[in-house]
Amino acid sequence: MTIIETVPATKTVTRDDAQTLEPAPTQPDWQTRYPARATQADWPATYADRGEVDRIVAAATAELPTQRVREARRWGVPLLLDWLADQAGQTWQQRWLASGADTAGADWAQHPEQWLGRQEKYSEYRLQLMTSSLLVVVGADVVRPSLAWLLTGGKKRKLVRNMVYGRDAAGFDQLRRVCEQDRAITPDAVGDILFRCAVIVAAKGGALADVSVGDVLEILDAEYTVRGRAESASATIRMLREAGVLDADTPTLWQIRSLGQRSAAQLVDRYPIACRPIRDLLVAYLSERQPAIDYTTLVGLAYHLVRCFWYDLEQHHGGIDSLRLPREVAGAWKRRLRTKATSVIHDDERVEVESERLGYLDTLATVRAFYLDLAEWGLDDPVRWGVWVAPCPISQEDLVRRKFLRRRKARMDSRTRERLPMLPVLAQAADRRRRESQQLLQAGQQAQPGKQFTAAGKTLTRIDRPTAAPDNVWVSDPDTGKPRLLNLDEEHAFWAWAVIEVLRHTGVRVEELLELNHHSLIQYRLPSTGELVPLLQIAPSKTDAERLLVVGPELAEVLSTVICRVRGADGAVPLVRARDSHELVWMPPSPLLFQRRTRSENRSLGGDFVATLLDESVAHTGLTDPAGGPLHFTPHDFRRMFITDAVLNGLPPHIAQVIAGHRDIGVTMGYKAVYPDEAITAHLAFIARRRALC
């Protein structure tokens, strides 16, 4: 990408001098990837004359369930057609739009009401006949109202009935059977799915088999606009896929709607950069670096260079438009970067205190690399990059990290030493919570709505919720007076226990934990004894190297329990697609162990959910930090505790390095929280000798 071609290399670039580049192409959104069918203005039925419309409507109403309904349509449809014929337009669709009823939404009936009044034919009975007959005309595909009109008012039951009998009885019947065979789909959800499909067919034409992914996404957006919600949204795509309407490889709604990787321009434009040439330079620089780095590194570069560097300069030094920073400007920026203001409570008053920013050296290193890259690239391509070459405001002395690294090591070691003694307490509490939640759920499932039951030392009352899923157990919590879903409590308790046990027995990274699948469990026969050893295969992650871990009896029991839980009715672990939280891409389907049922589909657990589980588990233990606040565990704390415990109990450091998956043994020893045994022993002996002399 060319940044500047018209500015001489000897001139300081200003925002008026530089050539403005076109924005970089953005990643296609779901509307581009899954376009909805276009709304047609013309189709054969809407051109039909009055007699042909009568025949079309008669054919569409022939299978309507009762004689009363057929007679009402017999008298109501002619009145409706008379009203439409009195509107401007050449087709029935044009007349419908010209009447203003489509844009009136739920108040559309006022238009035929006024027409009846002008014709001196008004009666409440006639108006009711006309309004109730419109959906028959829609079912016959003579008129196609907009999605917004179809979603307003109480049209749900009548619209589905008319679409079934008038348009595609076989297709809707097949979809209904597929929905009713799935226990996760409630009767209300079946109605939502059928109504949504009926609306699509009514507005777009065709049959149920013509519905596309884009059509479903479009109506979901329309529902959010009209109603503020869209019930059973994810189940709609899944049921259409299982009914054969959509392709078998159609992704879930969660996958479609999730944000993917952003372009370099999108990453930069998250912050309002005033100087357009600098903005274009940052986009070009990130685009140049992008092929050689992963997406997470690219996001970090954008944050340091745009948010922490240039955006901060523009906020405090208005009008700045050159990388050649005056000494006072660069100094002020580095001082702002080094510290941050933190709000704390002191003597019941909120005060602002300054503290050192932990990542400021990373920002300095990134900005220095930016200046040095421009200088190097300027030698190879002076027209493109040479104009931006400027003295770097960050010296090598600014990046001295010895003191920073020592502080960080001390801080991490202190954190590990605080949490390592608490680990058995946390593990026991998580296991106890899991068992108690299972007992409560089993007792609640046997209790009748409105009845009390006692389990795990607690007495609860089951709440009757007719609209909830049949398997859900809602109870009234006597401590808080608020309703609780025991299924959710049991699920969180189980996965918290599973996460804690696997992390503390393996020391794997959280992304490695979430990528474990049924094929990760393998066996190895020792050549010397012939003994079969169960192994856990860890997929390549941070260091792009896989490794094998021995599965002990405790870990084997945990993994076996997890597998038994996630197995489907066919005995196999369901295939789900995990999302790489670093690259923001979806991986191929695999039998992941850490998956759970969310609404009507299986989903992999995410890093945020794991963090929530750990917070909930610690909260149930009541553990506190030295300051008296709640103790906080992160997934990486378990990795540090695992390595520290392994080395302290005699595991050679080079073996710990292999198990942890580190390339450098120095990294492994950096994770280990040092307990100076020799110094402690000698100091105790010194104290004993002094006391003996006194």
Side-chain angles (χ1 to χ4, degrees), residues 183-189 462-474 485 487 599:
R183 292 186 57 191
I185 307 298
T186 64
D188 288 339
R462 184 168 182 178
I463 302 174
D464 184 16
R465 288 203 170 186
T467 59
D471 296 336
N472 283 352
V473 180
W474 286 90
L485 180 57
N487 306 68
R599 295 178 181 173

Side-chain angles (χ1 to χ4, degrees), residues 436 439-444 446-447 451-462:
E436 290 177 354
Q439 296 172 10
L440 284 172
L441 179 59
Q442 292 171 359
Q446 298 173 1
K451 300 296 184 180
Q452 286 188 342
F453 63 93
T454 301
K458 296 181 180 180
T459 300
L460 303 173
T461 302
R462 184 168 182 178

Side-chain angles (χ1 to χ4, degrees), residues 655-686:
I655 302 299
Q657 174 195 353
V658 175
I659 294 175
H662 290 147
R663 292 178 179 174
D664 186 357
I665 194 172
V667 177
T668 305
M669 297 308 295
Y671 272 55
K672 173 183 174 291
V674 178
Y675 288 84
D677 294 338
E678 294 182 0
I680 292 174
T681 302
H683 197 179
L684 288 174
F686 168 72

